[in-house]
Amino acid sequence: MTNSDPKHRFSAEAVKAASGDGTKSDTAKLSSVAQEVAAQYRRDTMSPVMVSGWLRLAEFAFLVVSGLALYAYHVGFLSHLSWQYPLVILAGSFAAVLFFEVMDCYQLQSLLRPSGSIGRIALGWATTFALMSLTAFFMKVSAEYSRLLFGSWFVLGLSLLIGLRLVMARVIRKWARNGRMERRAVIVGGGKAAEVLIRSIEQQPYNDIRICGIFDDRDDRRSPPIVAGYPKLGTVSELLEFARIARIDMLIVSLPLTAETRVLQLLKKLWVLPVDIRLSAHSNQLQFRPRAYSYIGAVPMLDIFDKPINDWDSVAKRAFDIAFSLLGIIVFSPVMIVTAIAIKLDSKGPILFQQKRHGFNNEVIEVYKFRSMYTDQSDPSARKSVTKNDPRVTRVGRFIRKASIDELPQFFNSLFGSLSLVGPRPHAIAAQSHNLLYNEVVDGYFARHKVKPGVTGWAQINGWRGEMDTDEKIRKRTEFDLYYIENWSLWFDMKILFLTPIRLLDTENAY
């Protein structure tokens, strides 16, 4: 179980206020060894939270289907109780999954060791039937239900649950061996403290942590190149690039709480990454309440930052994107067809314009737009922002940019997964202000990339759209983007999505 207490987290404001240069010049080229290590990890990983979540759904489905199949065989769907039996079966299946949850049957240890959890599974299933029996008794309807049917369902349901658990245990062990199911962690800080931490983690049975290496700013005299068998792969500045390539899930800072200045300096560099950041508490003398910690096995950690929109939240957001992207394509297809014809008649060149932009985790993606500029004057790198009455913009382009129609093809980006419908707007990789890249203007700018960028966003809803011709505009857009990331919810996405057409009526900054 993971618990956290917000009182013991460093705030983003505290991190950004710490001394240091932040992300402006902190990226560094990886060594060949670090690049080789980062490239070996597979990308199609699954988190334990997702696996246990799918297992909940699978067990619920198994119980419902088995119960309905027995009902159809013993009673038939045309009986006078045709609507009551399915309702009882659904309620019983749901209650069983809740009992399994309360009995910790979905923890990783339980999934890897089914022999230790079968007793709890049987107890939870028996408790479900006891509850159904008591309910039927007090409602005085127990005589109306088939004892043979429910007795058969108990035996069949328990057999299916045990069989599924045995199969899942083998599958999860296989995934753990081949790297499909793991949380990749990097230790920040070396020396004796890191060695003690690594040994403590390795002693935890059935934990899903894979330590990928160590990063430390200190030289080999103060921080050995090999700690507990793991190599020191570079400095903290190099860790920024390593974490993106290797798809790191967690950074564990192995420094004492008393080294507050150094901890804040490290977090100032690292908070822009879309990862969980934990401060090792296994050797600290300070003692907090148990709920202040999260745990890897029995090793306590203080939660500093959590990866935003993770696990089931990401599934919900992806489903939201697919559903509303399809709806948007259907609704706006006449507008897109007319626009495509107008572009083709107005000037020579392709209908669509593809531009490389920064996406999730700072990766480069290609974003689709309707072409709004003359082909021979287009600027794929966006080094020069479009200004009012820009001669590079076509007649049709001026109108579709003003009405934001040029952005409609990005519904396809959202459908295919490179964009989300709602999120920080992606900027071109070479976008500049006064000959400075955006990340050179705004400290922590790359924190916008902790989530997938969006077709529309909170900054645009609040008027920060169009030309970024001043440093203040870039800072304000980043400020609103970070607010969105820290306060995300599906309701927030829905609010932004439905406010977008209203806010687009204000075209003062769109040209």
Side-chain angles (χ1 to χ4, degrees), residues 77-111:
F77 286 104
L78 298 179
S79 72
H80 70 287
L81 293 174
S82 59
W83 66 272
Q84 293 182 22
Y85 266 99
L87 188 62
V88 171
I89 289 169
L90 284 170
S93 302
F94 184 74
V97 173
L98 285 182
F99 283 130
F100 300 155
E101 178 70 37
V102 171
M103 295 176 179
D104 289 336
C105 295
Y106 294 108
Q107 298 300 311
L108 182 62
Q109 297 90 333
S110 297
L111 302 184

Side-chain angles (χ1 to χ4, degrees), residues 130-187:
L131 180 61
M132 288 193 296
S133 299
L134 281 174
T135 303
F137 173 78
F138 283 113
M139 294 180 67
K140 298 181 179 180
V141 295
S142 57
E144 299 181 15
Y145 291 91
S146 168
R147 290 169 177 77
L148 177 61
L149 188 156
F150 282 99
S152 302
W153 189 33
F154 179 84
V155 174
L156 179 59
L158 183 60
S159 301
L160 290 173
L161 290 170
I162 293 172
L164 180 59
R165 289 290 175 134
L166 293 174
V167 171
M168 281 302 300
R170 296 189 64 177
V171 171
I172 291 173
R173 289 194 189 101
K174 180 181 178 181
W175 285 346
R177 285 194 302 269
N178 64 21
R180 181 77 189 280
M181 194 187 84
E182 61 186 9
R183 285 186 295 168
R184 296 169 190 163
V186 163
I187 307 297

Side-chain angles (χ1 to χ4, degrees), residues 45-352:
T45 57
M46 296 181 66
S47 73
V49 173
M50 293 294 291
V51 172
S52 63
W54 285 116
L55 182 60
R56 290 176 179 88
L57 293 176
E59 290 185 338
F60 175 76
F62 271 49
L63 294 176
V64 170
V65 170
S66 62
L68 292 177
L70 289 171
Y71 164 64
Y73 178 76
H74 284 287
V75 180
F77 286 104
L78 298 179
S79 72
H80 70 287
L81 293 174
S82 59
W83 66 272
Q84 293 182 22
Y85 266 99
L87 188 62
V88 171
I89 289 169
L90 284 170
S93 302
F94 184 74
V97 173
L98 285 182
F99 283 130
F100 300 155
E101 178 70 37
V102 171
M103 295 176 179
D104 289 336
C105 295
Y106 294 108
Q107 298 300 311
L108 182 62
Q109 297 90 333
S110 297
L111 302 184
L112 287 169
R113 297 181 59 190
S115 59
S117 62
I118 286 176
R120 281 174 288 156
I121 292 288
L123 178 60
W125 190 223
T127 303
T128 301
F129 274 77
L131 180 61
M132 288 193 296
S133 299
L134 281 174
T135 303
F137 173 78
F138 283 113
M139 294 180 67
K140 298 181 179 180
V141 295
S142 57
E144 299 181 15
Y145 291 91
S146 168
R147 290 169 177 77
L148 177 61
L149 188 156
F150 282 99
S152 302
W153 189 33
F154 179 84
V155 174
L156 179 59
L158 183 60
S159 301
L160 290 173
L161 290 170
I162 293 172
L164 180 59
R165 289 290 175 134
L166 293 174
V167 171
M168 281 302 300
R170 296 189 64 177
V171 171
I172 291 173
R173 289 194 189 101
K174 180 181 178 181
W175 285 346
R177 285 194 302 269
N178 64 21
R180 181 77 189 280
M181 194 187 84
E182 61 186 9
R183 285 186 295 168
R184 296 169 190 163
V186 163
I187 307 297
V188 182
K192 187 64 177 178
E195 181 179 0
V196 173
L197 171 62
I198 291 170
R199 301 293 187 204
S200 299
I201 292 175
E202 288 181 335
Q203 289 173 4
Q204 304 306 310
Y206 304 110
N207 82 75
D208 60 321
I209 297 295
R210 172 178 289 197
I211 298 173
C212 300
I214 298 167
F215 286 80
D216 197 343
D217 286 335
R218 296 174 295 179
D219 59 30
D220 290 349
R221 290 173 299 174
R222 299 177 60 200
S223 176
I226 303 291
V227 177
Y230 293 92
K232 185 171 69 174
L233 298 176
T235 65
V236 173
S237 296
E238 293 166 345
L239 170 57
L240 295 174
E241 183 65 18
F242 179 86
R244 291 181 174 120
I245 297 174
R247 304 229 171 181
I248 297 301
D249 299 299
M250 181 185 297
L251 304 180
I252 304 176
V253 179
S254 178
L255 291 174
L257 287 173
T258 51
E260 182 177 349
T261 301
R262 189 174 173 213
V263 170
L264 287 174
Q265 287 175 343
L266 288 174
L267 296 179
K268 180 178 173 63
K269 297 178 180 181
L270 300 175
W271 76 284
V272 299
L273 291 170
V275 299
D276 295 329
I277 299 181
R278 304 288 182 255
L279 180 60
S280 169
H282 75 289
S283 59
N284 285 308
Q285 300 301 314
L286 294 176
Q287 296 294 320
F288 297 121
R289 291 178 291 110
R291 289 186 62 82
Y293 299 108
S294 62
Y295 291 88
I296 298 174
V299 180
M301 303 281 172
L302 287 174
D303 296 356
I304 308 301
F305 290 110
D306 288 327
K307 181 179 179 180
I309 315 182
N310 199 20
D311 294 325
W312 285 102
D313 284 343
S314 65
V315 174
K317 187 167 176 62
R318 182 68 186 129
F320 179 92
D321 288 342
I322 292 173
F324 282 91
S325 295
L326 286 171
L327 180 62
I329 290 170
I330 293 170
V331 170
F332 290 104
S333 57
V335 178
M336 288 193 277
I337 292 171
V338 171
T339 302
I341 295 172
I343 291 171
K344 203 64 180 174
L345 294 175
D346 182 54
S347 61
K348 295 181 180 180
I351 294 170
L352 293 179

